[in-house]
Amino acid sequence: VPVRVSSPEGVVFSQVSAGGSHSLGLASDGSVWAWGDGDMWRLGNNGSRPSRVPVRVSSPGGVVFSQVSAGMLHSLALATDGSVWAWGFGASGQIGDGGMRSSPVPARVSSPSGVVFSQVSAGGSHSLALATDGSVWAWGFGADGQVGNGDTRDAFVPTKVRMPGGVLFSQVSAGGSHSLAVGSDGSLWAWGSAASGQLGTGDSADQRIPSRSAKRTFVQVSTSYSHSLAIASDGSVWAWGSGKNGRLGNDSRTDSAVPVAVSPAWGPSVFITQVSAGFSHSLALASDGSVWAWGAGVGGLLGNGADQESLVPVPVSKSWGGAVSIMQVSAGVTHSLAVASDGRVWSWGQGGKGQLGTGALVNSLVPVPVLGALDGIRVQQVGAGGDRSLALTNDGAVWAWGDGEGGGLGDGDATVHFSAVPRPVSWQAGGAAPPVQQISAGQAHSLAVTRAGAVYAWGKGETGVLGDGNSAAHSVVRPQLVNATWGSGVAIAQVSAGPLTSLAVTSKGDVWVWGGNGAAQLGQGDMVSSYPTPVAMKTPWVASSPGSTITQVSAGQLLSVVVASDGTVWVSGIDVASKLRRSPEAMSSLPPMRLSNCSPPSTLVGQRCTLPSTTTYSVSYRYLGWSSPLATATITR
């Protein structure tokens, strides 16, 4: 457990750095202190004996330090005048003064003419320094390319890292045998050894000059019958799978087995916060509360007043009024649902089985309010399934409307074929319903997670999607507990009901699956036709990124998609190119992010910018449709 480091009397520390077997501390008065192994003079006090308490590093006369970094066998310190000092083992040039010698006390690193340093980082056997002009300099051992100047020779004085055209850096970090740098535009660059994948470039090839990883991180996915959607961490939207009807949103009807960028019709000042993939159309919820749709438009699926397809996103008509924002959307097979900031539910598309909840069996080309018992009740989440709709209210109650065949409404009445208005889901005859925290509507079945982490299922039970051990065709007319094969005391955090399968992720990040597996979509490494009780999905993401867990799952028809905590997306099943994945595989890397500068005055929402010097912006934030008063923020590059 942590023990307090002995602090010399009167010394207050402001920064620390842990090295190979020694530690450094920077005091508020600019002095440097070291403790630990003193071999190779790494303590910088002109001795080689170890010290169990901090000892003062010898300070050149008049030099005040502002940052320290401890490496494997050497250390660095940055002075307030921008000079860099090094001590310890230096046989490969780590000291940076032109020689191959070690130094028992801080020695000044040779500074290129006119270069002033602003940050240092000591690695395994090399050193990095960031200059105030955004350039990066390196010296020391270079056999793995970690010096970044294009060759593998050692560098005995700071050598300028070969920078990609136009890129300025804002931070550096030296690893064991590789180097990292953050660009001023937020990009990440790496060079040196990639033996363990530490460069993040997707392979194990060493890089002698900075290389940018093309890999994006994702925050949310949604998959359906034949296409998938994903939001990247920068708010951009990506799609893959069938391009029929333009459901990929990239101004094309062409299929794609790798992610392609959805056309950002919402503009540069808006980013996407949620996506939902329907049978043949797609929805996206924007940061300004607007809703966008693309793909098939038959029966009004796109909600824009027309019934024609669109190859790029179009805005859904704001029937709810300009003062109301949308908080969540759900795309089904034949219709769409949205929850507004005032708790009302809106629907559009086909309504022949009552799935719009308006009391009539008619289509709507624009959003219309759901009526009946839900009118006036605040809803927090909706789910659009085959021809059926679900709503979860703030008090944890579940309501259903639309197709009632096979117990689809979950109200205990097997004789109801459809309902054009919401009906309460009945958990048990005459009993109290447990409060629910999340719902998911599939093709012919539904799932619900209670606030206690239990999972319930109802509807048609073909292929074992109800998780009750029965893979034959049968119906369950009110919610019943899914067999909790994940063990007692384990809470489920999120579920996804697909056409043929069910997925669940636990609060610990494990994935459990059940239902049809004819396309290997359950990620078991086989093609057993079905699993009628939950089984654990294989976890190749752990080997790829130790400690990684799953944060979200989405069930499609022939494909299952999961998002790992490191932002990678994994898929199992058969994709549009007929590629079979019996176990989860990582999605292909996406093209690099293209980030543009923002010339003030402009909005920073959804953008990453290189700001010119100091700029003043007006700032506000939104929550459930409420906007805060404007405040002034001064941002300095």
Side-chain angles (χ1 to χ4, degrees):
V1 297
V3 293
R4 185 164 186 169
V5 175
S6 299
S7 180
E9 185 176 356
V11 173
V12 178
F13 289 109
S14 59
Q15 188 231 329
V16 291
S17 181
S21 55
H22 70 297
S23 303
L24 297 180
L26 175 68
S28 57
D29 63 357
S31 61
V32 179
W33 298 73
W35 60 99
D37 187 1
D39 193 28
M40 301 293 181
W41 298 302
R42 68 189 80 184
L43 298 188
N45 64 341
N46 204 25
S48 59
R49 297 180 61 183
S51 179
R52 298 183 180 182
V53 295
V55 293
R56 186 163 184 166
V57 174
S58 299
S59 178
V63 176
V64 177
F65 294 108
S66 59
Q67 188 232 327
V68 293
S69 180
M72 179 63 69
L73 298 172
H74 73 295
S75 299
L76 299 177
L78 175 69
T80 54
D81 63 359
S83 61
V84 178
W85 299 73
W87 63 95
F89 185 70
S92 297
Q94 295 96 311
I95 304 303
D97 61 353
M100 298 174 62
R101 67 181 184 88
S102 300
S103 180
V105 295
R108 183 163 184 165
V109 174
S110 298
S111 179
S113 178
V115 174
V116 177
F117 294 113
S118 59
Q119 190 228 328
V120 292
S121 182
S125 52
H126 71 294
S127 303
L128 296 179
L130 174 69
T132 55
D133 64 358
S135 61
V136 177
W137 298 73
W139 61 98
F141 190 65
D144 296 304
Q146 58 265 57
V147 174
N149 62 350
D151 62 38
T152 56
R153 292 177 294 178
D154 295 347
F156 299 100
V157 294
T159 303
K160 192 172 185 178
V161 172
R162 191 181 299 178
M163 299 164 58
V167 176
L168 300 178
F169 293 111
S170 60
Q171 191 224 333
V172 293
S173 182
S177 55
H178 72 295
S179 303
L180 298 178
V182 179
S184 57
D185 61 355
S187 55
L188 179 63
W189 299 79
W191 61 98
S193 172
S196 300
Q198 58 265 53
L199 299 188
T201 55
D203 56 39
S204 57
D206 294 350
Q207 301 291 332
R208 298 183 181 182
I209 59 175
S211 176
R212 184 173 180 177
S213 172
K215 185 178 181 180
R216 286 176 178 261
T217 57
F218 293 94
V219 295
Q220 191 237 327
V221 293
S222 179
T223 189
S224 185
Y225 290 78
S226 59
H227 75 293
S228 302
L229 304 174
I231 304 177
S233 55
D234 64 347
S236 60
V237 181
W238 299 78
W240 64 96
S242 171
K244 187 177 180 180
N245 304 118
R247 62 194 73 176
L248 299 187
N250 65 335
D251 200 20
S252 169
R253 296 185 180 88
T254 304
D255 298 347
S256 179
V258 296
V260 293
V262 173
S263 174
W266 34 84
S269 63
V270 175
F271 59 94
I272 298 302
T273 60
Q274 189 226 332
V275 289
S276 182
F279 176 77
S280 57
H281 74 296
S282 303
L283 297 179
L285 175 61
S287 56
D288 62 358
S290 61
V291 180
W292 297 75
W294 61 95
V298 59
L301 280 175
L302 303 186
N304 65 336
D307 61 358
Q308 298 176 339
E309 68 180 25
S310 177
L311 305 184
V312 296
V314 293
V316 173
S317 299
K318 293 185 177 180
S319 303
W320 37 81
V324 175
S325 297
I326 297 302
M327 310 307 296
Q328 186 240 333
V329 294
S330 182
V333 174
T334 60
H335 69 300
S336 300
L337 300 175
V339 181
S341 54
D342 60 4
R344 300 190 71 183
V345 179
W346 295 77
S347 61
W348 62 95
Q350 300 173 38
K353 291 191 176 181
Q355 59 265 52
L356 299 189
T358 62
L361 306 181
V362 295
N363 300 344
S364 181
L365 302 182
V366 296
V368 290
V370 172
L371 303 176
L374 275 186
D375 195 17
I377 297 179
R378 196 174 185 90
V379 171
Q380 66 179 27
Q381 188 202 345
V382 289
D387 293 315
R388 186 181 66 265
S389 302
L390 297 179
L392 173 63
T393 63
N394 278 8
D395 61 2
V398 181
W399 296 71
W401 61 98
D403 184 10
E405 293 288 343
L409 299 182
D411 60 355
D413 192 343
T415 65
V416 176
H417 296 293
F418 65 86
S419 176
V421 293
R423 297 163 64 102
V425 171
S426 174
W427 292 80
Q428 53 187 356
V436 171
Q437 68 175 353
Q438 191 242 329
I439 53 175
S440 182
Q443 167 71 21
H445 78 293
S446 299
L447 299 175
V449 183
T450 69
R451 293 175 183 173
V455 181
Y456 285 79
W458 67 94
K460 292 184 179 179
E462 297 175 277
T463 71
V465 292
L466 300 183
D468 58 0
N470 187 356
S471 58
H474 66 293
S475 296
V476 172
V477 297
R478 58 167 49 96
Q480 70 175 12
L481 272 171
V482 171
N483 287 344
T485 49
W486 41 79
S488 60
V490 176
I492 297 298
Q494 184 241 330
V495 291
S496 178
L500 305 171
T501 60
S502 298
L503 306 180
V505 59
T506 72
S507 57
K508 294 182 178 181
D510 303 318
V511 180
W512 291 77
V513 296
W514 61 97
N517 188 52
Q521 60 266 59
L522 297 187
Q524 296 301 301
D526 58 38
M527 297 181 70
V528 174
S529 61
S530 68
Y531 284 86
T533 55
V535 291
M537 181 179 276
K538 292 186 178 297
T539 59
W541 47 82
V542 174
S544 174
S545 178
S548 181
T549 59
I550 297 302
T551 60
Q552 190 224 338
V553 293
S554 185
Q557 182 176 27
L558 303 178
L559 203 67
S560 294
V561 183
V562 301
V563 183
S565 55
D566 63 358
T568 55
V569 171
W570 298 74
V571 295
S572 180
I574 298 176
D575 65 16
V576 70
S578 298
K579 179 180 179 179
L580 173 65
R581 299 173 175 88
R582 296 175 186 265
S583 297
E585 296 181 13
M587 275 301 299
S588 302
S589 295
L590 300 179
M593 300 195 316
R594 292 176 174 83
L595 304 173
S596 60
N597 289 343
C598 308
S599 300
S602 66
T603 177
L604 293 180
V605 175
Q607 299 192 68
R608 298 183 183 179
C609 313
T610 301
L611 300 177
S613 62
T614 300
T615 310
T616 299
Y617 282 88
S618 293
V619 180
S620 70
Y621 63 90
R622 296 163 56 89
Y623 178 71
L624 293 178
W626 176 81
S627 295
S628 70
L630 286 175
T632 299
T634 300
I635 303 174
T636 302
R637 182 176 125 183

